[in-house]
Amino acid sequence: YAELIVKSAIRSKSLWEKIKALKIISNYVNINPNIILHSYFEKLIYTIFNGKNFNSDIVKKILLKYGISKQSILWNFFWGNFYLYKDRNFALAEKCFSYIAENTAFKYIGYAGMLNLYVEKKNPLHALRFYSLIKKTLHKYYWYTEKNTLTIFYQIRDSFSVDEVEKMFPKIRDSLPQYPDMLYIGMGAICLHHNKLDKAEKYFKLAIENKLTPKAVHRDWPYICLGEIYTRRNKYKEAEAYFKKGLSGLGSTFGFLETGKFYYNRNMLKEAEEFYLKAVKKFLNSNNPGEIKALLNAYLYLGDLSIKQGRKKTAKKYFMKIMKFNFPYFSGRRILNIKEKAREKLEKLNNRK
């Protein structure tokens, strides 16, 4: 029921309707504080402050009109996220999240905000203490802590060298001993980003050796990334074997897209199309930002593949899917980049005789 309320509010153009839904979800959180409701809470918040003609004074008046006090979880979480992601005022964001953690029964919401704050500040060691606090509060929601473990590595990869992150790694590992596979995947991803292939291979193999958790969201990543490493080394037979191993389970969008790119770059277009279409099918109706980004990338790759096959109309169809896509909440630079690429490709196709 909460999911239906969120989807309806996201589609609505009325700010009042969005905030009304936000209050309803807030009431649910007060009754049943779990991470799934928390994620709906975040989606609505992003929809509101990333909407057209957002005016903080008007939103404050509407919140107060609905009886949402400045001492409530909703008020502080809303403005904490606004200051963090939109206004980039870290001091005010910390004030809001700290209030929730120190003055309410739902401390995990404040801890989650503080964790995201330190990730944005590219301070992984400070963020670690909030992992342990979230773990104690929401120990059964493995995927949430797992997801943010990888997020920390992803956020710092451009700010630190491989050597700098490796120096921090023992402290990170000691703080999160229950997630060895995720930690090694994160280190491997940083090494791969900096093209340190031997080190990347070492960490991804350590992730595999350290018992990948069956429920892990990213359990195929080590194999897919090893496939990428061997592709860069021009060892295509070994690379293909790792891609197939990574997709031997349920498969993720990341796995489908990377395997598709492997075949595309080898001019095996039929195989590439097969994996791009699998990515589209798997996440066509997703509301998850990362999965939507992957879906749009799949359309982009299918468009490029269609051009290579001489199917101009089909290529236009895929690029138009991206242009017409109504991203419902916090989009970010990478989503906008995909749309810009689609627009440029459409213009080139339309200018061809």
Side-chain angles (χ1 to χ4, degrees), residues 61 67 75 90 131 145 160 210 260 331 340 345:
K61 288 179 181 178
W75 181 282
F90 293 154
Y131 279 114
T145 311
F160 298 92
N210 280 270
S331 57
E340 181 61 24
K345 292 175 184 291

Side-chain angles (χ1 to χ4, degrees), residues 82-233:
F82 170 77
Y83 293 133
L84 177 59
Y85 294 114
K86 192 76 172 179
D87 201 44
R88 307 299 287 178
N89 188 324
F90 293 154
L92 288 178
E94 184 170 6
K95 184 178 179 181
C96 292
F97 296 138
S98 294
Y99 180 87
I100 298 171
E102 295 169 5
N103 297 285
T104 74
F106 308 107
K107 298 182 182 297
Y108 82 92
I109 294 179
Y111 297 152
M114 293 298 290
L115 185 151
N116 291 331
L117 171 66
Y118 280 108
V119 167
E120 288 296 309
K121 292 174 75 172
K122 302 189 189 314
N123 194 329
L125 294 180
H126 275 77
L128 285 173
R129 56 188 286 250
F130 294 101
Y131 279 114
S132 60
L133 292 171
I134 290 175
K135 181 187 68 176
K136 290 176 183 176
T137 311
L138 293 168
H139 61 279
K140 64 181 178 179
Y141 294 104
Y142 173 91
W143 68 269
Y144 184 75
T145 311
E146 170 203 320
K147 179 190 74 171
N148 280 291
T149 303
L150 292 178
T151 300
I152 277 193
F153 286 100
Y154 184 81
Q155 292 285 353
I156 66 174
R157 66 181 188 176
D158 291 319
S159 302
F160 298 92
S161 68
V162 170
D163 289 341
E164 288 173 325
V165 179
E166 282 190 316
K167 287 179 181 178
M168 291 187 280
F169 186 69
K171 289 184 178 179
I172 298 174
R173 184 182 55 208
D174 292 343
S175 299
L176 294 164
Q178 72 276 36
Y179 305 127
D181 50 344
M182 294 297 106
L183 296 176
Y184 289 129
I185 290 173
M187 279 302 305
I190 286 182
C191 295
L192 187 58
H193 178 70
H194 291 282
N195 207 37
K196 303 290 185 181
L197 301 186
D198 290 341
K199 285 189 175 183
E201 181 178 9
K202 179 188 76 173
Y203 284 115
F204 288 128
K205 286 185 175 179
L206 282 170
I208 294 171
E209 291 169 9
N210 280 270
K211 193 181 178 181
L212 288 172
T213 306
K215 295 181 180 179
V217 177
H218 304 290
R219 60 189 177 277
D220 63 340
W221 275 34
Y223 299 105
I224 300 301
C225 290
L226 283 166
E228 170 62 20
I229 289 169
Y230 279 90
T231 299
R232 293 188 191 185
R233 292 171 174 165

Side-chain angles (χ1 to χ4, degrees), residues 265-332:
N265 291 329
R266 299 195 66 206
N267 207 35
M268 299 170 69
L269 302 186
K270 182 180 178 181
E271 290 83 354
E273 185 176 24
E274 176 188 344
F275 285 101
Y276 292 152
L277 289 173
K278 284 182 178 180
V280 170
K281 182 179 180 180
K282 189 173 181 70
F283 295 109
L284 184 61
N285 298 312
S286 176
N287 280 318
N288 178 284
E291 292 170 0
I292 289 176
K293 172 177 169 283
L295 172 66
L296 297 182
N297 267 321
Y299 286 142
L300 194 69
Y301 299 153
L302 283 165
D304 288 338
L305 186 148
S306 298
I307 291 173
K308 201 167 186 177
Q309 292 177 324
R311 297 183 294 160
K312 183 178 176 181
K313 289 184 178 179
T314 304
K316 284 185 177 181
K317 180 189 75 173
Y318 285 122
F319 296 143
M320 284 304 299
K321 284 180 180 290
I322 299 172
M323 298 304 297
K324 292 179 178 179
F325 195 90
N326 182 26
F327 194 67
Y329 41 94
F330 186 63
S331 57

